[in-house]
């Protein structure tokens, strides 16, 4: 430790910087040198922050007297050979720098000590660039997969005024760089959470981002990094590149497809053209990878809204590997027997371009979309396709057809009977989230090629018909209590699926505040240790709810469906929300150790 010339100690008094070799900063007197040498440790405060000064091997060292992990008072730790060990979870710190040897704990703030004139003064440096430090900690937390470090960084960054979109961008750049396989569940969850932040209680913003970022971290750890391919220098026109791309995806040539896509992106084409190019290749095959490719692709486009189209090449090329290698459902028996749905699809979508251009526009209403959705629940696949065809001829726009299919998929969830296997919730979930992705993509590019995907989703909804036999009673028949607070019992007790749907349905249709209902559902999602599908279905439900008029029957049923899904999967251990709660309390400086432990930890007893 440096021993400096005497400076008159006074709490928070600006320092006379003195000789040139003294660092600038405030001197805060903690005690005198003789007491420090005798006791080995002195404690005091710098403003509201507790500090402790240790005497070790003939020198003095000061650190914040609060373990950055969970707040244990570090003056009760052990110092040996320049290492300070916290006695709660045994994190070790370099006494001189505060750097931790155990990354789960984070670094502790260290202060220089001035011993001039026999006084022990902690020197408080001018403030560091806290945002830069927190950004670094966020990256480190993502790399090492430590949710508490991620949570503390996110809470700190939001507290410093950093926009959620910037934090999401950090996660997206990280996720695209460090996952050789490309876009995965982590980035999908992160973008879904980013999309729902505006609909949550503001106090849940950090929690939503942490859920997404922890998913990204889990999705990248232990995996090779990604190296993107360069675009071709010749730059063929878009038509040719699209044809190449579809051909390369069809033959599962992912490197060739990535190069064609990178070339199109480098030529400056925008979201509509690129949606068309990528999703026409996706919809060349039937409902690939249970619809996940549809949802992933849509999410990738959505995240570019926050990152800017300048990141399109970095983001969109990460989708190629999964698209090329996806499972194709036309190869599966459910799509071929007893009715060959792939032939039905091929025949019914062959002339979509002509039908779309000749249909008289504008005559289709929300009531017609509702009626179409119920028709789509038919027992006959021919009738399902026929209902879409007739609606198209009657003037339904691609957006309206896609919305009807998404609503029909939501009705499958609302009518899903709890007698089904629990795992079958995933079936109705896949149809709904893929249909929502199709709806969002059609909004970006209402092309005939994408419209094929709407027909595919409609037949996927048809395939789930057995999950509505028998059908659950609609929430319209629910007569129990319907306060927002009544939902809590549905999350804390297993089996209250129908109650959850009924309460939400009545809250919406009886004039309740839909924003509060959505925020409450979102809070519950984030309170639980949610699985991948939970985030997808909640985000899709919010999107579809907002596609209908306020307080509509359709919107109420859509939210009732997602409430049923949540109630069917809760409660969980609720660990991640607990981590974020701890991080929040640490940041506020609230006592954690003191209120949790009545006696000394085992380590101290043993020593
Ligand atoms: S290691 Fe210090 S509180 Fe956990």
């Amino acid at each position: 430790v440096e021993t400096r010339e005497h400076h008159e100690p006074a709490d928070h008094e600006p320092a006379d910087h003195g000789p040139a070799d003294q660092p600038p900063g405030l001197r805060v007197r903690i005690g005198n040198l003789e007491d420090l040498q005798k006791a080995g440790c002195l404690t005091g405060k710098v403003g509201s922050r507790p500090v402790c000064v240790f005497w070790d091997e003939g020198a003095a060292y000061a650190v914040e007297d609060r373990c950055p992990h969970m707040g244990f008072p570090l003056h009760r730790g052990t110092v040996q050979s320049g290492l300070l060990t916290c006695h709660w979870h045994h994190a070790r710190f370099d006494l001189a720098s505060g750097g931790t040897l155990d990354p789960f704990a984070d670094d502790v703030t260290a202060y220089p000590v001035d011993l001039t004139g026999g006084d022990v003064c902690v020197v408080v440096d001018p403030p560091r660039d806290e945002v830069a430090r927190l950004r670094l900690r966020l990256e480190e937390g993502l790399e090492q997969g430590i949710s508490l470090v991620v949570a503390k960084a996110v809470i700190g960054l939001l507290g410093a005024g950093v926009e959620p979109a910037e934090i999401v961008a950090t996660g997206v750049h990280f996720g695209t760089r460090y996952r050789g396989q490309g876009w995965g569940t982590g980035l999908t969850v992160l973008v879904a959470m980013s999309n729902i932040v505006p609909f949550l209680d503001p106090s849940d913003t950090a929690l939503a981002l942490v859920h997404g970022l922890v998913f990204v971290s889990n999705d990248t750890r232990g995996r090779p990094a990604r190296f993107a391919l360069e675009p071709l220098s010749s730059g063929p026109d878009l038509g040719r590149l699209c044809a190449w791309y579809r051909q390369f995806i069809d033959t599962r040539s992912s490197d060739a497809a990535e190069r064609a896509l990178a070339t199109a992106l480098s030529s400056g084409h925008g979201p509509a053209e690129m949606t068309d190019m990528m999703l026409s290749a996706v919809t060349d095959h039937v409902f690939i990878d249970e619809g996940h490719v549809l949802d992933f692709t849509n999410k990738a486009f959505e995240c570019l809204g926050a990152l800017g189209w300048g990141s399109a090449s970095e983001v969109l090329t990460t989708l190629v590997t999964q698209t090329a290698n996806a499972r194709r459902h036309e190869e599966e028996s459910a799509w071929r027997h007893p009715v060959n749905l792939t032939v039905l699809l091929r025949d019914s979508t062959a002339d979509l371009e002509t039908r779309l251009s000749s249909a008289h526009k504008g005559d289709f209403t929300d009531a017609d979309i509702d009626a179409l959705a119920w028709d789509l629940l038919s027992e006959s696949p021919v009738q399902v396709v026929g209902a879409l065809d007739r609606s198209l001829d009657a003037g339904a726009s691609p957006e309206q057809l896609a919305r009807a299919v998404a609503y029909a998929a939501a009705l499958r969830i609302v009518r899903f009977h709890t007698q089904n296997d629990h795992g079958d919730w995933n079936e109705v979930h896949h149809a709904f989230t893929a249909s929502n992705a199709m709806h969002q993509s059609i909004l970006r590019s209402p092309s005939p090629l994408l419209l094929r995907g709407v027909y595919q989703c409609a037949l996927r909804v048809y395939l789930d018909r057995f999950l509505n036999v028998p059908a659950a009673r609609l929430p319209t028949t629910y007569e129990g209590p319907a306060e927002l607070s009544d939902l809590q019992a549905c999350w804390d007790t297993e089996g209250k699926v129908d109650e959850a749907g009924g309460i939400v349905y009545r809250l919406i249709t009886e004039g309740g505040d839909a924003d509060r209902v959505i925020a409450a559902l979102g809070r519950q999602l984030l309170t639980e240790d949610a699985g991948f599908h939970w985030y997808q279905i909640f985000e899709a439900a919010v999107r579809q709810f907002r596609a209908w008029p306020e307080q509509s029957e359709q919107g109420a049923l859509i939210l009732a469906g997602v409430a049923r899904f949540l109630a069917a999967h809760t409660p969980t251990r609720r660990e991640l929300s607990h981590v974020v709660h701890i991080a929040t309390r640490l940041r506020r400086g609230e006592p954690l150790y003191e209120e949790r432990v009545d006696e000394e930890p085992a380590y101290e007893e043993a020593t």
Side-chain angles (χ1 to χ4, degrees):
V1 70
E2 293 175 58
T3 301
R4 305 186 183 103
E5 286 185 18
H6 177 73
H7 173 82
E8 196 62 42
D11 278 9
H12 296 97
E13 180 184 295
D16 170 358
H17 292 168
D21 64 342
Q22 280 196 340
L26 299 173
R27 262 69 173 163
V28 180
R29 186 175 184 278
I30 303 298
N32 67 56
L33 182 56
E34 197 181 330
D35 289 345
L36 175 62
Q37 289 170 328
K38 204 180 298 172
C41 180
L42 296 178
T43 59
K45 285 212 165 186
V46 171
S48 61
R49 292 186 163 213
V51 292
C52 52
V53 184
F54 291 97
W55 185 256
D56 183 48
E57 297 179 339
Y61 303 91
V63 294
E64 185 166 345
D65 192 12
R66 228 172 120 69
C67 178
H69 179 226
M70 286 183 66
F72 185 82
L74 285 173
H75 74 269
R76 294 165 69 180
T78 300
V79 171
Q80 202 171 31
S81 306
L83 281 181
L84 166 62
T85 302
C86 173
H87 280 198
W88 198 354
H89 311 98
H90 305 165
R92 292 155 299 180
F93 303 92
D94 166 31
L95 204 45
S97 66
T100 185
L101 282 299
D102 296 288
F104 70 83
D106 215 340
D107 296 341
V108 66
T109 304
Y111 302 89
V113 182
D114 186 347
L115 300 176
T116 309
D119 286 311
V120 177
C121 293
V122 167
V123 181
V124 185
D125 289 331
R128 297 169 294 176
D129 183 347
E130 186 63 0
V131 169
R133 186 188 77 78
L134 289 166
R135 282 190 205 282
L136 192 62
R137 288 305 289 157
L138 177 55
E139 291 261 354
E140 289 169 350
L142 289 169
E143 286 167 13
Q144 292 150 12
I146 305 172
S147 53
L148 182 60
V149 173
V150 171
K152 283 160 63 176
V154 168
I155 292 166
L157 286 168
L158 291 173
V162 174
E163 289 295 323
E166 284 186 51
I167 297 171
V168 170
T170 300
V172 171
H173 292 311
F174 185 92
T176 53
R177 196 161 58 239
Y178 294 119
R179 195 170 190 274
Q181 292 164 279
W183 192 281
T185 55
L187 287 171
T188 303
V189 172
L190 179 61
V191 177
M193 293 303 90
S194 168
N195 288 346
I196 66 158
V197 159
F199 309 109
L200 297 173
D201 185 292
S203 66
D204 291 330
T205 300
L207 185 54
L209 298 181
V210 172
H211 271 264
L213 291 164
V214 167
F215 249 87
V216 170
S217 178
N218 292 341
D219 215 14
T220 49
R221 273 174 70 73
R223 294 176 189 267
R226 178 179 141 72
F227 299 97
L229 295 174
E230 290 296 313
L232 299 169
S233 56
S234 65
D237 67 37
L238 186 62
R240 170 157 293 184
L241 286 169
C242 281
W244 282 1
Y245 185 70
R246 290 172 66 183
Q247 175 192 329
F248 295 145
I249 290 294
D250 185 48
T251 54
R252 301 192 188 276
S253 309
S254 59
D255 283 350
E258 181 177 337
R259 243 185 139 187
L261 182 64
T263 305
L265 286 161
S266 71
S267 306
H269 299 292
E273 292 106 323
M274 298 315 300
T275 298
D276 230 18
M277 178 171 176
M278 295 182 73
L279 281 179
S280 57
V282 170
T283 53
D284 278 341
H285 297 280
V286 174
F287 206 71
I288 61 176
D289 266 359
E290 283 292 353
H292 283 135
V293 180
L294 275 174
D295 196 38
F296 288 13
T297 306
N298 178 56
K299 287 283 175 297
F301 275 95
E302 288 176 347
C303 91
L304 290 170
L307 266 67
W309 190 246
S311 298
S313 191
E314 172 201 341
V315 169
L316 296 179
T317 53
T318 65
L319 291 147
V320 175
T321 303
Q322 189 194 17
T323 308
N325 296 324
R327 213 170 92 221
R328 298 167 179 180
H329 284 231
E330 63 265 36
E331 296 163 355
E332 299 194 351
S333 65
W335 288 80
R336 291 187 170 271
H337 305 288
V339 180
N340 193 329
L341 300 180
T342 61
V343 171
L344 184 61
L345 273 172
R346 186 195 64 205
D347 294 347
S348 59
T349 58
D351 61 347
L352 280 179
E353 185 158 9
T354 315
R355 299 180 79 139
L356 202 51
S357 59
S358 59
H360 49 283
K361 306 281 187 304
D363 293 341
F364 218 71
T365 65
D366 280 349
D368 295 326
I369 298 172
D370 178 85
L372 170 59
W374 286 95
D375 286 347
L376 293 176
L377 301 183
S378 164
E379 291 288 309
S380 158
V382 175
Q383 285 183 15
V384 168
V385 167
L388 287 172
D389 285 346
R390 282 193 303 281
S391 300
L392 191 54
D393 294 342
S397 67
E399 184 278 328
Q400 289 173 315
L401 294 180
R403 180 149 51 108
V405 173
Y407 182 47
L411 292 172
R412 286 274 186 243
I413 299 172
V414 177
R415 293 159 27 110
F416 181 95
H417 203 290
T418 51
Q419 283 177 10
N420 292 310
D421 280 354
H422 187 70
D424 282 338
W425 280 104
N426 290 338
E427 299 299 320
V428 287
H429 154 274
H430 282 136
F432 177 57
T433 52
S435 300
N436 170 64
M438 205 62 245
H439 181 218
Q440 305 307 322
S441 301
I442 284 270
L443 285 167
R444 208 175 295 117
S445 174
S447 81
L449 284 173
L450 265 67
L451 197 50
R452 295 178 309 173
V454 175
Y455 278 68
Q456 292 173 9
C457 288
L459 286 181
R460 181 60 176 75
V461 173
Y462 156 78
L463 284 173
D464 285 344
R465 66 198 180 286
F466 69 97
L467 297 172
N468 287 168
V469 181
R473 290 175 64 185
L474 282 175
T476 49
T477 61
Y478 175 74
E479 291 178 343
E483 297 293 327
L484 205 49
S485 58
D486 294 322
L487 280 173
Q488 194 58 48
C490 302
W491 318 135
D492 293 342
T493 315
E494 287 185 8
K496 290 189 171 286
V497 174
D498 293 335
E499 287 90 334
I503 292 168
V504 166
Y505 176 83
R506 279 192 52 193
L507 282 168
I508 302 291
T509 54
E510 293 177 5
D513 183 341
D515 291 345
R516 287 187 63 216
V517 176
I518 290 173
L521 293 174
R523 172 164 292 177
Q524 200 54 40
L525 167 78
L526 299 171
T527 297
E528 306 289 347
D529 296 328
F532 169 53
H533 288 161
W534 305 29
Y535 305 97
Q536 282 184 300
I537 198 170
F538 178 75
E539 191 256 1
V542 173
R543 292 263 176 177
Q544 290 305 313
F545 171 81
R546 293 175 60 81
W548 291 88
E550 276 185 30
Q551 293 187 338
S552 67
E553 170 84 3
Q554 296 84 6
L557 287 174
I558 290 166
L559 286 189
V562 78
R564 297 184 83 239
F565 182 95
L566 286 177
H569 292 79
T570 56
T572 63
R573 289 170 62 88
R574 302 175 179 172
E575 287 183 24
L576 188 56
S577 54
H578 182 62
V579 168
V580 175
H581 181 62
I582 287 172
T584 306
R585 297 192 61 196
L586 279 170
R587 180 166 171 79
R588 288 191 198 130
E590 292 176 12
L592 286 171
Y593 168 75
E594 294 80 349
E595 69 184 33
R596 287 162 152 249
V597 182
D598 294 321
E599 37 189 66
E600 292 299 297
Y603 179 89
E604 282 186 330
E605 284 165 17
T607 55

